[in-house]
mmCIF file of all heavy atoms in Angstrom:
data_model
loop_
_atom_site.group_PDB
_atom_site.id
_atom_site.type_symbol
_atom_site.label_atom_id
_atom_site.label_comp_id
_atom_site.label_asym_id
_atom_site.label_seq_id
_atom_site.Cartn_x
_atom_site.Cartn_y
_atom_site.Cartn_z
ATOM 1 N N GLU A 14 -78.678 63.964 -247.653
ATOM 2 C CA GLU A 14 -78.071 62.656 -247.993
ATOM 3 C C GLU A 14 -77.565 62.694 -249.436
ATOM 4 O O GLU A 14 -76.538 62.065 -249.737
ATOM 5 C CB GLU A 14 -79.096 61.547 -247.830
ATOM 6 C CG GLU A 14 -79.489 61.257 -246.387
ATOM 7 C CD GLU A 14 -78.410 60.523 -245.606
ATOM 8 O OE1 GLU A 14 -77.366 60.195 -246.220
ATOM 9 O OE2 GLU A 14 -78.611 60.275 -244.426
ATOM 10 N N HIS A 15 -78.295 63.387 -250.289
ATOM 11 C CA HIS A 15 -77.926 63.496 -251.703
ATOM 12 C C HIS A 15 -78.063 64.944 -252.101
ATOM 13 O O HIS A 15 -78.900 65.668 -251.600
ATOM 14 C CB HIS A 15 -78.788 62.615 -252.592
ATOM 15 C CG HIS A 15 -78.817 61.151 -252.155
ATOM 16 N ND1 HIS A 15 -77.745 60.314 -252.296
ATOM 17 C CD2 HIS A 15 -79.793 60.450 -251.544
ATOM 18 C CE1 HIS A 15 -78.044 59.141 -251.814
ATOM 19 N NE2 HIS A 15 -79.280 59.185 -251.348
ATOM 20 N N PRO A 16 -77.245 65.473 -253.054
ATOM 21 C CA PRO A 16 -77.304 66.868 -253.422
ATOM 22 C C PRO A 16 -78.689 67.284 -253.877
ATOM 23 O O PRO A 16 -79.482 66.480 -254.355
ATOM 24 C CB PRO A 16 -76.286 66.959 -254.547
ATOM 25 C CG PRO A 16 -75.394 65.779 -254.395
ATOM 26 C CD PRO A 16 -76.262 64.713 -253.818
ATOM 27 N N ASP A 17 -78.969 68.588 -253.745
ATOM 28 C CA ASP A 17 -80.219 69.119 -254.311
ATOM 29 C C ASP A 17 -80.055 69.240 -255.823
ATOM 30 O O ASP A 17 -79.046 68.843 -256.410
ATOM 31 C CB ASP A 17 -80.618 70.433 -253.634
ATOM 32 C CG ASP A 17 -79.631 71.579 -253.898
ATOM 33 O OD1 ASP A 17 -78.818 71.478 -254.859
ATOM 34 O OD2 ASP A 17 -79.689 72.568 -253.189
ATOM 35 N N CYS A 18 -81.061 69.819 -256.478
ATOM 36 C CA CYS A 18 -81.047 69.852 -257.936
ATOM 37 C C CYS A 18 -79.927 70.711 -258.487
ATOM 38 O O CYS A 18 -79.634 70.623 -259.688
ATOM 39 C CB CYS A 18 -82.400 70.267 -258.470
ATOM 40 S SG CYS A 18 -82.788 71.995 -258.220
ATOM 41 N N TYR A 19 -79.330 71.556 -257.651
ATOM 42 C CA TYR A 19 -78.209 72.412 -258.112
ATOM 43 C C TYR A 19 -76.868 71.815 -257.665
ATOM 44 O O TYR A 19 -75.835 72.496 -257.768
ATOM 45 C CB TYR A 19 -78.379 73.814 -257.574
ATOM 46 C CG TYR A 19 -79.666 74.491 -258.039
ATOM 47 C CD1 TYR A 19 -80.682 74.763 -257.138
ATOM 48 C CD2 TYR A 19 -79.854 74.835 -259.350
ATOM 49 C CE1 TYR A 19 -81.871 75.367 -257.553
ATOM 50 C CE2 TYR A 19 -81.008 75.438 -259.800
ATOM 51 C CZ TYR A 19 -82.018 75.705 -258.858
ATOM 52 O OH TYR A 19 -83.173 76.299 -259.306
ATOM 53 N N GLY A 20 -76.900 70.612 -257.145
ATOM 54 C CA GLY A 20 -75.638 69.987 -256.700
ATOM 55 C C GLY A 20 -75.169 70.472 -255.349
ATOM 56 O O GLY A 20 -74.052 70.250 -254.944
ATOM 57 N N GLN A 21 -76.040 71.168 -254.608
ATOM 58 C CA GLN A 21 -75.675 71.746 -253.308
ATOM 59 C C GLN A 21 -76.267 70.899 -252.168
ATOM 60 O O GLN A 21 -77.055 69.978 -252.366
ATOM 61 C CB GLN A 21 -76.157 73.160 -253.218
ATOM 62 C CG GLN A 21 -75.511 74.100 -254.245
ATOM 63 C CD GLN A 21 -76.064 75.484 -254.213
ATOM 64 O OE1 GLN A 21 -77.228 75.719 -253.990
ATOM 65 N NE2 GLN A 21 -75.198 76.481 -254.443
ATOM 66 N N GLY A 22 -75.878 71.248 -250.938
ATOM 67 C CA GLY A 22 -76.453 70.636 -249.744
ATOM 68 C C GLY A 22 -75.718 69.385 -249.280
ATOM 69 O O GLY A 22 -76.358 68.522 -248.647
ATOM 70 N N THR A 23 -74.465 69.275 -249.577
ATOM 71 C CA THR A 23 -73.726 68.017 -249.228
ATOM 72 C C THR A 23 -72.811 68.170 -247.999
ATOM 73 O O THR A 23 -72.086 67.207 -247.678
ATOM 74 C CB THR A 23 -72.890 67.582 -250.420
ATOM 75 O OG1 THR A 23 -71.961 68.615 -250.773
ATOM 76 C CG2 THR A 23 -73.789 67.270 -251.621
ATOM 77 N N ARG A 24 -72.857 69.327 -247.328
ATOM 78 C CA ARG A 24 -71.927 69.536 -246.214
ATOM 79 C C ARG A 24 -72.662 70.105 -245.018
ATOM 80 O O ARG A 24 -73.670 70.794 -245.118
ATOM 81 C CB ARG A 24 -70.798 70.531 -246.606
ATOM 82 C CG ARG A 24 -69.940 70.019 -247.755
ATOM 83 C CD ARG A 24 -68.884 71.092 -248.106
ATOM 84 N NE ARG A 24 -69.513 72.330 -248.583
ATOM 85 C CZ ARG A 24 -68.779 73.395 -248.967
ATOM 86 N NH1 ARG A 24 -67.477 73.374 -248.919
ATOM 87 N NH2 ARG A 24 -69.409 74.458 -249.398
ATOM 88 N N SER A 25 -72.124 69.798 -243.830
ATOM 89 C CA SER A 25 -72.548 70.438 -242.595
ATOM 90 C C SER A 25 -71.893 71.823 -242.523
ATOM 91 O O SER A 25 -70.811 72.043 -243.112
ATOM 92 C CB SER A 25 -72.103 69.612 -241.387
ATOM 93 O OG SER A 25 -72.258 70.352 -240.194
ATOM 94 N N ILE A 26 -72.533 72.744 -241.804
ATOM 95 C CA ILE A 26 -71.861 74.064 -241.638
ATOM 96 C C ILE A 26 -70.747 73.940 -240.590
ATOM 97 O O ILE A 26 -69.975 74.887 -240.446
ATOM 98 C CB ILE A 26 -72.847 75.177 -241.229
ATOM 99 C CG1 ILE A 26 -73.546 74.883 -239.917
ATOM 100 C CG2 ILE A 26 -73.845 75.411 -242.360
ATOM 101 C CD1 ILE A 26 -74.370 76.025 -239.412
ATOM 102 N N TRP A 27 -70.686 72.827 -239.847
ATOM 103 C CA TRP A 27 -69.508 72.482 -239.028
ATOM 104 C C TRP A 27 -68.526 71.858 -239.996
ATOM 105 O O TRP A 27 -68.706 70.702 -240.453
ATOM 106 C CB TRP A 27 -69.842 71.531 -237.908
ATOM 107 C CG TRP A 27 -70.589 72.170 -236.759
ATOM 108 C CD1 TRP A 27 -71.847 72.667 -236.828
ATOM 109 C CD2 TRP A 27 -70.090 72.392 -235.456
ATOM 110 N NE1 TRP A 27 -72.208 73.191 -235.606
ATOM 111 C CE2 TRP A 27 -71.146 73.034 -234.730
ATOM 112 C CE3 TRP A 27 -68.914 72.098 -234.805
ATOM 113 C CZ2 TRP A 27 -71.058 73.393 -233.385
ATOM 114 C CZ3 TRP A 27 -68.784 72.477 -233.470
ATOM 115 C CH2 TRP A 27 -69.824 73.117 -232.777
ATOM 116 N N THR A 28 -67.442 72.560 -240.346
ATOM 117 C CA THR A 28 -66.484 72.063 -241.352
ATOM 118 C C THR A 28 -66.014 70.652 -240.952
ATOM 119 O O THR A 28 -65.849 69.811 -241.806
ATOM 120 C CB THR A 28 -65.323 73.050 -241.493
ATOM 121 O OG1 THR A 28 -65.841 74.321 -241.887
ATOM 122 C CG2 THR A 28 -64.318 72.557 -242.510
ATOM 123 N N ASP A 29 -65.798 70.442 -239.650
ATOM 124 C CA ASP A 29 -65.498 69.122 -239.163
ATOM 125 C C ASP A 29 -66.657 68.720 -238.279
ATOM 126 O O ASP A 29 -66.672 69.076 -237.079
ATOM 127 C CB ASP A 29 -64.191 69.143 -238.378
ATOM 128 C CG ASP A 29 -63.865 67.750 -237.751
ATOM 129 O OD1 ASP A 29 -64.611 66.792 -238.013
ATOM 130 O OD2 ASP A 29 -62.895 67.680 -236.975
ATOM 131 N N PRO A 30 -67.613 67.927 -238.775
ATOM 132 C CA PRO A 30 -68.813 67.555 -237.950
ATOM 133 C C PRO A 30 -68.457 66.828 -236.656
ATOM 134 O O PRO A 30 -69.238 66.822 -235.725
ATOM 135 C CB PRO A 30 -69.611 66.675 -238.895
ATOM 136 C CG PRO A 30 -69.181 67.092 -240.258
ATOM 137 C CD PRO A 30 -67.742 67.415 -240.115
ATOM 138 N N GLU A 31 -67.290 66.191 -236.648
ATOM 139 C CA GLU A 31 -66.902 65.462 -235.385
ATOM 140 C C GLU A 31 -66.714 66.396 -234.230
ATOM 141 O O GLU A 31 -66.883 66.029 -233.040
ATOM 142 C CB GLU A 31 -65.652 64.613 -235.613
ATOM 143 C CG GLU A 31 -65.899 63.418 -236.529
ATOM 144 C CD GLU A 31 -66.997 62.525 -236.026
ATOM 145 O OE1 GLU A 31 -67.019 62.186 -234.815
ATOM 146 O OE2 GLU A 31 -67.887 62.153 -236.821
ATOM 147 N N THR A 32 -66.368 67.643 -234.504
ATOM 148 C CA THR A 32 -66.232 68.601 -233.387
ATOM 149 C C THR A 32 -67.601 68.920 -232.801
ATOM 150 O O THR A 32 -67.705 69.282 -231.635
ATOM 151 C CB THR A 32 -65.531 69.905 -233.877
ATOM 152 O OG1 THR A 32 -66.321 70.514 -234.883
ATOM 153 C CG2 THR A 32 -64.161 69.612 -234.406
ATOM 154 N N TYR A 33 -68.646 68.800 -233.628
ATOM 155 C CA TYR A 33 -70.012 68.926 -233.059
ATOM 156 C C TYR A 33 -70.294 67.829 -232.055
ATOM 157 O O TYR A 33 -70.826 68.107 -230.961
ATOM 158 C CB TYR A 33 -71.049 68.877 -234.187
ATOM 159 C CG TYR A 33 -72.466 68.624 -233.678
ATOM 160 C CD1 TYR A 33 -73.238 69.648 -233.142
ATOM 161 C CD2 TYR A 33 -73.000 67.342 -233.667
ATOM 162 C CE1 TYR A 33 -74.520 69.422 -232.680
ATOM 163 C CE2 TYR A 33 -74.272 67.100 -233.179
ATOM 164 C CZ TYR A 33 -75.030 68.138 -232.661
ATOM 165 O OH TYR A 33 -76.288 67.903 -232.174
ATOM 166 N N ARG A 34 -69.916 66.602 -232.368
ATOM 167 C CA ARG A 34 -70.148 65.483 -231.436
ATOM 168 C C ARG A 34 -69.427 65.759 -230.100
ATOM 169 O O ARG A 34 -70.014 65.545 -229.009
ATOM 170 C CB ARG A 34 -69.574 64.177 -232.002
ATOM 171 C CG ARG A 34 -70.366 63.559 -233.134
ATOM 172 C CD ARG A 34 -69.741 62.213 -233.460
ATOM 173 N NE ARG A 34 -70.244 61.650 -234.709
ATOM 174 C CZ ARG A 34 -71.240 60.705 -234.750
ATOM 175 N NH1 ARG A 34 -71.774 60.280 -233.629
ATOM 176 N NH2 ARG A 34 -71.586 60.195 -235.897
ATOM 177 N N ARG A 35 -68.197 66.261 -230.159
ATOM 178 C CA ARG A 35 -67.469 66.543 -228.939
ATOM 179 C C ARG A 35 -68.099 67.688 -228.136
ATOM 180 O O ARG A 35 -68.175 67.629 -226.925
ATOM 181 C CB ARG A 35 -65.988 66.837 -229.280
ATOM 182 C CG ARG A 35 -65.239 65.625 -229.823
ATOM 183 C CD ARG A 35 -63.750 65.881 -229.829
ATOM 184 N NE ARG A 35 -63.330 66.857 -230.809
ATOM 185 C CZ ARG A 35 -63.029 66.591 -232.097
ATOM 186 N NH1 ARG A 35 -63.102 65.335 -232.515
ATOM 187 N NH2 ARG A 35 -62.604 67.536 -232.909
ATOM 188 N N ALA A 36 -68.574 68.687 -228.861
ATOM 189 C CA ALA A 36 -69.223 69.807 -228.187
ATOM 190 C C ALA A 36 -70.532 69.360 -227.540
ATOM 191 O O ALA A 36 -70.858 69.770 -226.439
ATOM 192 C CB ALA A 36 -69.437 70.949 -229.140
ATOM 193 N N LEU A 37 -71.259 68.544 -228.245
ATOM 194 C CA LEU A 37 -72.534 68.003 -227.683
ATOM 195 C C LEU A 37 -72.270 67.247 -226.402
ATOM 196 O O LEU A 37 -72.979 67.420 -225.386
ATOM 197 C CB LEU A 37 -73.204 67.079 -228.726
ATOM 198 C CG LEU A 37 -74.575 66.557 -228.340
ATOM 199 C CD1 LEU A 37 -75.653 67.619 -228.481
ATOM 200 C CD2 LEU A 37 -74.927 65.350 -229.236
ATOM 201 N N ARG A 38 -71.272 66.415 -226.403
ATOM 202 C CA ARG A 38 -70.908 65.654 -225.200
ATOM 203 C C ARG A 38 -70.457 66.569 -224.063
ATOM 204 O O ARG A 38 -70.802 66.359 -222.904
ATOM 205 C CB ARG A 38 -69.828 64.619 -225.516
ATOM 206 C CG ARG A 38 -69.341 63.800 -224.323
ATOM 207 C CD ARG A 38 -68.409 62.677 -224.713
ATOM 208 N NE ARG A 38 -69.096 61.638 -225.439
ATOM 209 C CZ ARG A 38 -69.754 60.639 -224.894
ATOM 210 N NH1 ARG A 38 -69.838 60.575 -223.535
ATOM 211 N NH2 ARG A 38 -70.340 59.754 -225.607
ATOM 212 N N PHE A 39 -69.720 67.615 -224.403
ATOM 213 C CA PHE A 39 -69.241 68.569 -223.408
ATOM 214 C C PHE A 39 -70.433 69.099 -222.576
ATOM 215 O O PHE A 39 -70.381 69.152 -221.345
ATOM 216 C CB PHE A 39 -68.503 69.716 -224.086
ATOM 217 C CG PHE A 39 -68.063 70.846 -223.171
ATOM 218 C CD1 PHE A 39 -66.764 70.808 -222.634
ATOM 219 C CD2 PHE A 39 -68.899 71.900 -222.857
ATOM 220 C CE1 PHE A 39 -66.350 71.835 -221.794
ATOM 221 C CE2 PHE A 39 -68.464 72.898 -222.013
ATOM 222 C CZ PHE A 39 -67.173 72.871 -221.480
#
């Protein structure tokens, strides 16, 4: 939800997380 102490951790490894939703539904 908020970056770690090095400013990292703000992204999903799915560059477009919405494609995960579509794949999950598939």
Side-chain angles (χ1 to χ4, degrees):
E14 291 285 358
H15 306 288
D17 65 17
C18 72
Y19 299 112
Q21 297 176 324
T23 59
R24 297 180 297 181
S25 167
I26 62 173
W27 285 67
T28 301
D29 177 6
E31 289 304 312
T32 61
Y33 164 81
R34 287 186 191 262
R35 292 194 290 272
L37 184 75
R38 178 173 289 277
F39 176 93

